[in-house]
Structures are given as structure tokens and as C-alpha cells.
Amino acid sequence: MSSIIYLAVLFAAKVADNALSTTKTIMVQRSRWILAGFAVILSDFIYFGITKRVVSAESELAMLVVAIAGGVGCSLACFVNEKLSKDRTYVNVIMSDDLDEMKRLRDFLAQYHITNVATDSYTLNWNTKTITITAYPETKAESRLINKFIEESDTKFKRVIQPA
């Protein structure tokens, strides 16, 4: 029974270690260096304690439990980050030679209240007038709606996506 508790404690410690390590990476990317520093301190402290116990235990099972917990901790931190982070917004510049389909896209965006600007443009050969739409989705759900429209259309679109 004590070995099960020992393995459970090792598992929980390694989940915390990898969650902190992944959080450190996320904080560095967001330029939150002080929080990243604290995450490194805690992660290293936990890591060295785990390493000491696993090496002294000389147990393949302990190593396996710690390895699995490392993956769980990383996944957990990524999941929490995804749920807590703000939606990223992207500017979508969408073009097509099919004027009618572009009008349908413009109406679709208006129907879902996705901010957009339609501007006159021409096809590559300069003979046919069309429109170019710049869309500003504010949520991931709005971005998925644009993706779905484009995927379900038989028309070929040129789409350039840039961070807002």
C-alpha cells in the first residue's frame, strides 16, 4: 500500500513539475519574465526531489510513472493555457475571381456580425471586376465560421491571414 502512495505522490509531483515547466515556456513567450522565473524555481526544486527519489528507488515502475506524469503535466498546462487565454484575432484578406461567391461571403459575414470591409478589386487579367473582403473575426468561433464557409464552397479562394 505504501508503494502505491509513493508512486501516486511521485506522479502528482511530476505533473506539477511539468505543468510549471510548460507554464514557464508560455510565460517567456508572453514576456512575463518574473512569473517565468518563479515557475523555473518551483519546477527545478520539484524536479531535483523527484530525480533523487527515482534514482534511489532503482525502480522501473517509478521511472514509468514519472514519465507518464511528465506528459500529463505538459498536456494539463497547455489545456489550462488554452482555456484561460484570450482569443487571438486575425485579419483575413479573402479574394476570389467569383464576384457572386464573394458577395455571398460578405452577406454570410454580415449575418454572423463578423466585422468586414469589402473593396472593389479586379481579377488577375484585369478584365473582370470582383471584390476583396477583409474580415476581422474577434473569436475562435468566428474564425471557424469563416473556415467552414470556405471549405464548403466550390469556389477557389486566396486567403491571407495575419495577426491583428
PDB file of all heavy atoms in Angstrom, residues 22 29-30 34 40 47 59 82 89 92-93 97-98 101 117 127 130 132 134 139-140 143:
ATOM      1  N   THR A  22       6.130  23.864 -18.412  1.00  0.00           N
ATOM      2  CA  THR A  22       5.402  24.329 -19.602  1.00  0.00           C
ATOM      3  C   THR A  22       4.874  25.743 -19.388  1.00  0.00           C
ATOM      4  O   THR A  22       4.929  26.575 -20.292  1.00  0.00           O
ATOM      5  CB  THR A  22       4.248  23.360 -19.932  1.00  0.00           C
ATOM      6  OG1 THR A  22       4.793  22.046 -20.108  1.00  0.00           O
ATOM      7  CG2 THR A  22       3.511  23.790 -21.183  1.00  0.00           C
ATOM      8  N   GLN A  29       7.150  33.336 -23.575  1.00  0.00           N
ATOM      9  CA  GLN A  29       6.590  33.771 -24.854  1.00  0.00           C
ATOM     10  C   GLN A  29       5.714  35.006 -24.703  1.00  0.00           C
ATOM     11  O   GLN A  29       5.586  35.803 -25.622  1.00  0.00           O
ATOM     12  CB  GLN A  29       5.787  32.640 -25.495  1.00  0.00           C
ATOM     13  CG  GLN A  29       6.652  31.504 -25.971  1.00  0.00           C
ATOM     14  CD  GLN A  29       5.840  30.314 -26.439  1.00  0.00           C
ATOM     15  OE1 GLN A  29       4.649  30.199 -26.176  1.00  0.00           O
ATOM     16  NE2 GLN A  29       6.498  29.412 -27.141  1.00  0.00           N
ATOM     17  N   ARG A  30       5.120  35.164 -23.549  1.00  0.00           N
ATOM     18  CA  ARG A  30       4.253  36.322 -23.297  1.00  0.00           C
ATOM     19  C   ARG A  30       5.000  37.473 -22.635  1.00  0.00           C
ATOM     20  O   ARG A  30       4.386  38.429 -22.159  1.00  0.00           O
ATOM     21  CB  ARG A  30       3.076  35.911 -22.414  1.00  0.00           C
ATOM     22  CG  ARG A  30       2.134  34.961 -23.094  1.00  0.00           C
ATOM     23  CD  ARG A  30       0.990  34.650 -22.192  1.00  0.00           C
ATOM     24  NE  ARG A  30       0.058  33.735 -22.853  1.00  0.00           N
ATOM     25  CZ  ARG A  30      -1.058  33.321 -22.330  1.00  0.00           C
ATOM     26  NH1 ARG A  30      -1.401  33.717 -21.121  1.00  0.00           N
ATOM     27  NH2 ARG A  30      -1.845  32.505 -22.982  1.00  0.00           N
ATOM     28  N   ILE A  34       9.207  37.559 -14.852  1.00  0.00           N
ATOM     29  CA  ILE A  34       9.241  37.313 -13.403  1.00  0.00           C
ATOM     30  C   ILE A  34       8.437  36.060 -13.067  1.00  0.00           C
ATOM     31  O   ILE A  34       8.903  35.204 -12.305  1.00  0.00           O
ATOM     32  CB  ILE A  34       8.732  38.549 -12.629  1.00  0.00           C
ATOM     33  CG1 ILE A  34       9.728  39.702 -12.814  1.00  0.00           C
ATOM     34  CG2 ILE A  34       8.534  38.227 -11.155  1.00  0.00           C
ATOM     35  CD1 ILE A  34       9.291  41.024 -12.225  1.00  0.00           C
ATOM     36  N   VAL A  40      10.309  28.469 -12.925  1.00  0.00           N
ATOM     37  CA  VAL A  40      11.559  27.703 -13.029  1.00  0.00           C
ATOM     38  C   VAL A  40      12.044  27.282 -11.641  1.00  0.00           C
ATOM     39  O   VAL A  40      12.454  26.133 -11.442  1.00  0.00           O
ATOM     40  CB  VAL A  40      12.653  28.518 -13.757  1.00  0.00           C
ATOM     41  CG1 VAL A  40      14.018  27.868 -13.603  1.00  0.00           C
ATOM     42  CG2 VAL A  40      12.307  28.670 -15.222  1.00  0.00           C
ATOM     43  N   TYR A  47      11.697  18.968  -9.506  1.00  0.00           N
ATOM     44  CA  TYR A  47      12.423  18.059 -10.389  1.00  0.00           C
ATOM     45  C   TYR A  47      13.582  17.364  -9.658  1.00  0.00           C
ATOM     46  O   TYR A  47      13.749  16.149  -9.749  1.00  0.00           O
ATOM     47  CB  TYR A  47      12.944  18.816 -11.612  1.00  0.00           C
ATOM     48  CG  TYR A  47      13.880  18.011 -12.468  1.00  0.00           C
ATOM     49  CD1 TYR A  47      13.395  17.039 -13.342  1.00  0.00           C
ATOM     50  CD2 TYR A  47      15.260  18.209 -12.390  1.00  0.00           C
ATOM     51  CE1 TYR A  47      14.260  16.285 -14.116  1.00  0.00           C
ATOM     52  CE2 TYR A  47      16.131  17.465 -13.162  1.00  0.00           C
ATOM     53  CZ  TYR A  47      15.629  16.502 -14.024  1.00  0.00           C
ATOM     54  OH  TYR A  47      16.482  15.758 -14.787  1.00  0.00           O
ATOM     55  N   SER A  59      13.757   1.726  -9.460  1.00  0.00           N
ATOM     56  CA  SER A  59      12.512   1.050  -9.859  1.00  0.00           C
ATOM     57  C   SER A  59      12.113   1.470 -11.265  1.00  0.00           C
ATOM     58  O   SER A  59      11.947   2.655 -11.545  1.00  0.00           O
ATOM     59  CB  SER A  59      11.400   1.420  -8.864  1.00  0.00           C
ATOM     60  OG  SER A  59      10.141   1.066  -9.373  1.00  0.00           O
ATOM     61  N   GLU A  82      -4.915  27.172 -22.918  1.00  0.00           N
ATOM     62  CA  GLU A  82      -5.895  27.352 -23.995  1.00  0.00           C
ATOM     63  C   GLU A  82      -7.222  27.882 -23.453  1.00  0.00           C
ATOM     64  O   GLU A  82      -7.843  28.756 -24.041  1.00  0.00           O
ATOM     65  CB  GLU A  82      -6.112  26.011 -24.707  1.00  0.00           C
ATOM     66  CG  GLU A  82      -7.077  26.074 -25.855  1.00  0.00           C
ATOM     67  CD  GLU A  82      -6.518  26.779 -27.075  1.00  0.00           C
ATOM     68  OE1 GLU A  82      -5.295  26.919 -27.212  1.00  0.00           O
ATOM     69  OE2 GLU A  82      -7.341  27.199 -27.903  1.00  0.00           O
ATOM     70  N   THR A  89      -7.085  37.308 -32.388  1.00  0.00           N
ATOM     71  CA  THR A  89      -7.815  37.787 -33.557  1.00  0.00           C
ATOM     72  C   THR A  89      -6.851  37.894 -34.724  1.00  0.00           C
ATOM     73  O   THR A  89      -5.678  38.215 -34.547  1.00  0.00           O
ATOM     74  CB  THR A  89      -8.484  39.151 -33.293  1.00  0.00           C
ATOM     75  OG1 THR A  89      -7.490  40.087 -32.913  1.00  0.00           O
ATOM     76  CG2 THR A  89      -9.537  39.047 -32.214  1.00  0.00           C
ATOM     77  N   ASN A  92      -8.226  38.576 -41.883  1.00  0.00           N
ATOM     78  CA  ASN A  92      -8.347  37.665 -43.014  1.00  0.00           C
ATOM     79  C   ASN A  92      -8.597  38.481 -44.272  1.00  0.00           C
ATOM     80  O   ASN A  92      -9.617  39.166 -44.373  1.00  0.00           O
ATOM     81  CB  ASN A  92      -9.548  36.735 -42.823  1.00  0.00           C
ATOM     82  CG  ASN A  92      -9.357  35.726 -41.723  1.00  0.00           C
ATOM     83  OD1 ASN A  92      -9.162  34.559 -41.996  1.00  0.00           O
ATOM     84  ND2 ASN A  92      -9.417  36.161 -40.471  1.00  0.00           N
ATOM     85  N   VAL A  93      -7.681  38.427 -45.204  1.00  0.00           N
ATOM     86  CA  VAL A  93      -7.892  39.068 -46.502  1.00  0.00           C
ATOM     87  C   VAL A  93      -8.254  37.942 -47.459  1.00  0.00           C
ATOM     88  O   VAL A  93      -7.460  37.033 -47.685  1.00  0.00           O
ATOM     89  CB  VAL A  93      -6.640  39.831 -46.978  1.00  0.00           C
ATOM     90  CG1 VAL A  93      -6.892  40.479 -48.334  1.00  0.00           C
ATOM     91  CG2 VAL A  93      -6.228  40.872 -45.946  1.00  0.00           C
ATOM     92  N   ASP A  97     -11.978  35.234 -57.824  1.00  0.00           N
ATOM     93  CA  ASP A  97     -12.438  35.775 -59.106  1.00  0.00           C
ATOM     94  C   ASP A  97     -13.955  35.716 -59.235  1.00  0.00           C
ATOM     95  O   ASP A  97     -14.530  36.350 -60.108  1.00  0.00           O
ATOM     96  CB  ASP A  97     -11.809  34.996 -60.268  1.00  0.00           C
ATOM     97  CG  ASP A  97     -10.320  35.271 -60.397  1.00  0.00           C
ATOM     98  OD1 ASP A  97      -9.831  36.207 -59.740  1.00  0.00           O
ATOM     99  OD2 ASP A  97      -9.664  34.545 -61.153  1.00  0.00           O
ATOM    100  N   ASP A  98     -14.606  34.956 -58.348  1.00  0.00           N
ATOM    101  CA  ASP A  98     -16.052  34.751 -58.425  1.00  0.00           C
ATOM    102  C   ASP A  98     -16.773  35.843 -57.625  1.00  0.00           C
ATOM    103  O   ASP A  98     -16.912  35.746 -56.400  1.00  0.00           O
ATOM    104  CB  ASP A  98     -16.396  33.368 -57.883  1.00  0.00           C
ATOM    105  CG  ASP A  98     -17.851  32.983 -58.073  1.00  0.00           C
ATOM    106  OD1 ASP A  98     -18.711  33.889 -58.177  1.00  0.00           O
ATOM    107  OD2 ASP A  98     -18.123  31.772 -58.102  1.00  0.00           O
ATOM    108  N   GLU A 101     -19.825  34.721 -55.467  1.00  0.00           N
ATOM    109  CA  GLU A 101     -19.449  33.994 -54.251  1.00  0.00           C
ATOM    110  C   GLU A 101     -18.870  34.950 -53.206  1.00  0.00           C
ATOM    111  O   GLU A 101     -19.086  34.787 -52.009  1.00  0.00           O
ATOM    112  CB  GLU A 101     -18.466  32.875 -54.581  1.00  0.00           C
ATOM    113  CG  GLU A 101     -18.221  31.913 -53.449  1.00  0.00           C
ATOM    114  CD  GLU A 101     -19.423  31.045 -53.081  1.00  0.00           C
ATOM    115  OE1 GLU A 101     -20.492  31.128 -53.722  1.00  0.00           O
ATOM    116  OE2 GLU A 101     -19.289  30.272 -52.112  1.00  0.00           O
ATOM    117  N   VAL A 117     -14.715  44.413 -44.315  1.00  0.00           N
ATOM    118  CA  VAL A 117     -14.696  45.510 -45.278  1.00  0.00           C
ATOM    119  C   VAL A 117     -14.570  44.877 -46.654  1.00  0.00           C
ATOM    120  O   VAL A 117     -13.664  44.076 -46.897  1.00  0.00           O
ATOM    121  CB  VAL A 117     -13.501  46.457 -45.029  1.00  0.00           C
ATOM    122  CG1 VAL A 117     -13.433  47.540 -46.092  1.00  0.00           C
ATOM    123  CG2 VAL A 117     -13.567  47.054 -43.631  1.00  0.00           C
ATOM    124  N   ASN A 127      -9.572  42.103 -66.421  1.00  0.00           N
ATOM    125  CA  ASN A 127     -10.763  42.248 -67.266  1.00  0.00           C
ATOM    126  C   ASN A 127     -12.062  42.168 -66.480  1.00  0.00           C
ATOM    127  O   ASN A 127     -13.086  42.648 -66.950  1.00  0.00           O
ATOM    128  CB  ASN A 127     -10.777  41.159 -68.351  1.00  0.00           C
ATOM    129  CG  ASN A 127      -9.646  41.335 -69.328  1.00  0.00           C
ATOM    130  OD1 ASN A 127      -9.180  42.453 -69.558  1.00  0.00           O
ATOM    131  ND2 ASN A 127      -9.199  40.230 -69.908  1.00  0.00           N
ATOM    132  N   THR A 130     -14.235  42.259 -59.320  1.00  0.00           N
ATOM    133  CA  THR A 130     -14.654  41.410 -58.214  1.00  0.00           C
ATOM    134  C   THR A 130     -14.530  42.227 -56.932  1.00  0.00           C
ATOM    135  O   THR A 130     -14.377  43.451 -57.009  1.00  0.00           O
ATOM    136  CB  THR A 130     -13.817  40.105 -58.159  1.00  0.00           C
ATOM    137  OG1 THR A 130     -14.360  39.240 -57.159  1.00  0.00           O
ATOM    138  CG2 THR A 130     -12.361  40.373 -57.885  1.00  0.00           C
ATOM    139  N   THR A 132     -12.685  42.203 -52.846  1.00  0.00           N
ATOM    140  CA  THR A 132     -11.801  41.591 -51.858  1.00  0.00           C
ATOM    141  C   THR A 132     -12.388  41.909 -50.493  1.00  0.00           C
ATOM    142  O   THR A 132     -12.801  43.050 -50.246  1.00  0.00           O
ATOM    143  CB  THR A 132     -10.370  42.164 -51.970  1.00  0.00           C
ATOM    144  OG1 THR A 132      -9.853  41.827 -53.256  1.00  0.00           O
ATOM    145  CG2 THR A 132      -9.466  41.622 -50.889  1.00  0.00           C
ATOM    146  N   THR A 134     -11.872  41.969 -46.386  1.00  0.00           N
ATOM    147  CA  THR A 134     -11.007  41.902 -45.222  1.00  0.00           C
ATOM    148  C   THR A 134     -11.919  41.681 -44.025  1.00  0.00           C
ATOM    149  O   THR A 134     -12.768  42.522 -43.720  1.00  0.00           O
ATOM    150  CB  THR A 134     -10.192  43.198 -45.057  1.00  0.00           C
ATOM    151  OG1 THR A 134      -9.470  43.445 -46.274  1.00  0.00           O
ATOM    152  CG2 THR A 134      -9.215  43.082 -43.902  1.00  0.00           C
ATOM    153  N   THR A 139     -13.322  36.140 -32.346  1.00  0.00           N
ATOM    154  CA  THR A 139     -13.251  34.934 -31.524  1.00  0.00           C
ATOM    155  C   THR A 139     -12.842  33.753 -32.389  1.00  0.00           C
ATOM    156  O   THR A 139     -12.898  33.814 -33.621  1.00  0.00           O
ATOM    157  CB  THR A 139     -14.617  34.617 -30.875  1.00  0.00           C
ATOM    158  OG1 THR A 139     -15.548  34.304 -31.907  1.00  0.00           O
ATOM    159  CG2 THR A 139     -15.126  35.772 -30.025  1.00  0.00           C
ATOM    160  N   LYS A 140     -12.471  32.679 -31.712  1.00  0.00           N
ATOM    161  CA  LYS A 140     -12.140  31.448 -32.427  1.00  0.00           C
ATOM    162  C   LYS A 140     -13.377  30.923 -33.161  1.00  0.00           C
ATOM    163  O   LYS A 140     -13.264  30.364 -34.249  1.00  0.00           O
ATOM    164  CB  LYS A 140     -11.614  30.405 -31.451  1.00  0.00           C
ATOM    165  CG  LYS A 140     -10.270  30.760 -30.855  1.00  0.00           C
ATOM    166  CD  LYS A 140      -9.866  29.768 -29.789  1.00  0.00           C
ATOM    167  CE  LYS A 140      -8.635  30.269 -29.067  1.00  0.00           C
ATOM    168  NZ  LYS A 140      -8.324  29.479 -27.901  1.00  0.00           N
ATOM    169  N   SER A 143     -13.710  32.683 -36.409  1.00  0.00           N
ATOM    170  CA  SER A 143     -12.709  32.183 -37.348  1.00  0.00           C
ATOM    171  C   SER A 143     -13.131  30.834 -37.916  1.00  0.00           C
ATOM    172  O   SER A 143     -12.955  30.565 -39.104  1.00  0.00           O
ATOM    173  CB  SER A 143     -11.345  32.040 -36.670  1.00  0.00           C
ATOM    174  OG  SER A 143     -10.798  33.306 -36.408  1.00  0.00           O
TER     175      SER A 143
END
